[in-house]
Amino acid sequence: MMIILAIVVSIPVTILVTAIPMWLSAKIAVSGRTTYGMAIKVIISRILAGIVILGVGVLLMFLIAAVGGKNTAPLVVGGIYAALMLVAVVTNLLIIAGTYDIGTIHAFGVQLLSGVISMVLGAVLFFSGVALFGKDSTGGLLQAAVQKIHDVQANGLAKALPAFNSPTTSAAPASETAALPPPSADYSAEIDNLLNAALHPDGPRPSLAERENIVRSLQEKLRVQKASLPAGDAHAMLVFQNQLNRYMALLETVQLERRLHPLRDEVVTQKPIGRDYASPAQK
């Protein structure tokens, strides 16, 4: 319903707006009485003539496809397109000449002047928008309009008009949302705290089993931290390397102590620290 309403409203508005350059050019280049209604008549006549010419072109394409099929020479198709374009230009000039009762050459001048006025009015509207709303807002609207045209050309009209279905901005496709990477975790401070607790505790030294658990936790956090390091960040890499060196020292101390005292603190039921808990850099 919204699409139908938009089309019904946009057609007369487009006719009224596009008639302004024709009306001004006729005022300048045509002697005698010229009215805004005559300019609207020119625009409507153009639209109707364009529909007829387009219909004839489509019919000719179907006939050529039915007769020649894939063997139809591209030169034939190109010739038909060129002929239709020539017919459209001549028809446009005849419409202007007939409406204002002038010659064909005179009509060409009116059309040329109308095109110049259209460009001038477009530039005035654009820079007025920049002055009123700012460069970013106006440029964004212009880019959105250009993107809409590209979407119509690539995907057809129905896919290019999501704004008519909802007044709010449409959500990103599910595939694009799923493709976004999850935010990287930063364990740098937590790694330092664990290393300090194992190597330089404030209170009593943690038991061997507790330090083994710290090593296991550090190994996983260091692996995640390395994967999330910013590319080219020398400072972050230096901090990580320092943490890795301290982790390796702790790992060697804990492994040696466990080998010397296999039953210290408690009977270890967890998976012992060995090759599976090697340095993240070695993996």
Side-chain angles (χ1 to χ4, degrees), residues 48-66 72 76-88:
L48 296 177
I51 293 173
V52 173
I53 294 172
L54 179 61
V56 172
V58 171
L59 180 59
L60 288 175
M61 290 299 108
F62 274 114
L63 291 175
I64 291 174
T72 303
V76 175
V77 178
I80 292 176
Y81 275 115
L84 291 175
M85 291 296 296
L86 181 61
V87 169

Side-chain angles (χ1 to χ4, degrees), residues 97-129:
T99 302
Y100 294 108
D101 194 21
I102 56 179
T104 306
I105 303 299
H106 196 172
F108 176 77
V110 173
Q111 176 58 54
L112 186 62
L113 181 59
S114 175
V116 173
I117 293 175
S118 296
M119 290 188 291
V120 172
L121 289 178
V124 170
L125 290 175
F126 176 76
F127 288 110
S128 298

Side-chain angles (χ1 to χ4, degrees), residues 206-248:
S207 66
L208 179 57
E210 290 173 338
R211 280 177 286 143
E212 286 176 334
N213 288 332
I214 290 175
V215 167
R216 293 184 178 95
S217 179
L218 280 170
Q219 179 203 340
E220 185 60 31
K221 287 179 169 54
L222 283 167
R223 184 179 292 115
V224 175
Q225 185 72 6
K226 181 180 180 182
S228 62
L229 286 176
D233 191 334
H235 176 72
M237 181 60 71
L238 184 63
V239 171
F240 174 79
Q241 187 61 47
N242 179 61
Q243 293 173 335
L244 182 60
N245 293 338
R246 296 177 68 196
Y247 162 80
M248 292 300 297

Side-chain angles (χ1 to χ4, degrees), residues 33-52:
R33 185 172 176 271
T34 59
T35 63
Y36 188 65
M38 297 172 72
I40 293 177
K41 178 183 176 182
V42 170
I43 302 301
I44 294 176
S45 300
R46 282 180 179 174
I47 294 174
L48 296 177
I51 293 173
V52 173

Side-chain angles (χ1 to χ4, degrees), residues 223 226 244 247-248 251-252 274-275 277-283:
R223 184 179 292 115
K226 181 180 180 182
L244 182 60
Y247 162 80
M248 292 300 297
L251 175 64
E252 292 175 1
R275 291 184 179 180
Y277 291 89
S279 159
Q282 297 172 351
K283 295 192 174 186

